[in-house]
Amino acid sequence: MTTQMRAFTLFSALFAVVYVVCVEMNLALFTYHPRLGQWDIGTVPARTGPAMYWFGWLASAGLAAFLATLLATPLLRRMGPPVWIGWAVPLASMLAFFWFLRSFFLR
Amino acid sequence: MITFMLILHGLAAVVLLGGLTHQALAAIWPVRKGTGAGGGGALANSFRGVNARLYTNTNIVLYLVTFILGGLIYPAYRLAVRTWIENARLWSISGMFEVKEQFLAIGLGMLPLYWLLWRTPADQPLDPQFASARAWVTGILCVVVWYSFVAGHIVNNVRGLFGQ
């Protein structure tokens, strides 16, 4: 298994986990206010109209997963996660979202 | 402009669906050489008997294009459509869209691994663990895109389907 394969496997798993954490804890790198057409750095409450955090969650998860994978690269030259982690963790994260969002379907 | 991007978003999703479904079936249920049909009819065999490796880059570009177009029209959805859905108390429809956005985001993070898993040249034997991972990753992305396509269409037609 190459270092690149280990790194991409780790990134895939980390991105999914960090994304779930970002959504559940509302850790957005930036916030968009669609009514105002304005962007804010960080997680900012809604002003006029709703606030959109999805773009910020994506950025938070992407950046965190990328940096963590980059930091782990020296270690990945010697050892790394099995490749199934790269699909099993994202799959588990998707199933977790069904649980987190169950209230939409149980009303 | 929003309508134009919405139509482009839908068209790109249709092409992506075709590419990913071909590739996922070829990875999960490959046609075996020299063993006859190997199960399935002639149509199914030709559908899954494609050179799946060729689809990878196109599928990635289409996923990104569809994703970006979806992101561009998302604010319009958030302001107008979601408000209408919530006022109509169609919570399960709203939930379907919430699930769609989370699934697609996680799928986005799987794209680098998906790309790498399909990089092995066709004439080189593939390690069984990579073959399994390739089938799973492609299958998951295929399910994500199918779900998102159906959910997106229901949300897009929500007033016609559920409007009073």
Side-chain angles (χ1 to χ4, degrees), chain A residues 41-71:
Chain A
I41 299 290
T43 309
V44 175
R47 293 203 291 265
T48 304
M52 294 179 70
Y53 302 109
W54 184 67
F55 305 108
W57 294 333
L58 283 171
S60 301
L63 187 65
F66 175 74
L67 290 177
T69 306
L70 202 64
L71 286 173

Side-chain angles (χ1 to χ4, degrees), chain B:
Chain B
M1 192 61 182
I2 292 293
T3 307
F4 176 70
M5 284 195 290
L6 178 65
I7 291 169
L8 269 185
H9 176 64
L11 288 174
V14 168
V15 185
L16 176 60
L17 267 184
L20 261 175
T21 308
H22 267 299
Q23 197 181 35
L25 274 180
I28 295 165
W29 188 25
V31 174
R32 308 265 179 225
K33 285 178 185 166
T35 57
L43 183 65
N45 283 334
S46 60
F47 192 86
R48 63 199 170 98
V50 295
N51 185 354
R53 194 166 284 97
L54 295 176
Y55 287 71
T56 309
N57 289 345
T58 308
N59 285 344
I60 290 173
V61 169
L62 282 168
Y63 193 102
L64 294 175
V65 167
T66 312
F67 196 90
I68 290 166
L69 284 168
L72 289 172
I73 58 178
Y74 192 13
Y77 163 81
R78 183 66 188 84
L79 288 176
V81 184
R82 184 166 153 181
T83 307
W84 187 91
I85 289 172
E86 287 175 352
N87 287 339
R89 306 180 67 80
L90 296 169
W91 303 115
S92 58
I93 304 299
S94 187
M96 275 177 67
F97 190 87
E98 294 290 315
V99 170
K100 167 184 150 107
E101 68 174 0
Q102 314 306 7
F103 277 18
L104 285 169
I106 293 173
L108 185 72
M110 294 172 75
L111 289 183
L113 181 62
Y114 163 76
W115 173 79
L116 192 59
L117 284 167
W118 282 101
R119 288 270 294 165
T120 311
D123 55 350
Q124 284 182 19
L126 190 64
D127 189 303
Q129 65 166 333
F130 295 152
S132 167
R134 180 191 274 184
W136 273 100
V137 168
T138 312
I140 290 168
L141 286 174
C142 184
V143 169
V144 163
V145 171
W146 267 104
Y147 171 81
S148 303
F149 184 79
V150 173
H153 268 273
I154 290 172
V155 169
N156 189 40
N157 298 309
V158 68
R159 292 184 77 163
L161 291 169
F162 302 101
Q164 289 90 27

Side-chain angles (χ1 to χ4, degrees), chain A residues 6-15 17-18 60-76 81:
Chain A
R6 287 172 180 157
F8 283 22
T9 298
L10 184 66
F11 177 84
S12 181
L14 279 177
F15 183 90
V17 171
V18 177
S60 301
L63 187 65
F66 175 74
L67 290 177
T69 306
L70 202 64
L71 286 173
T73 301
L75 197 66
L76 293 174

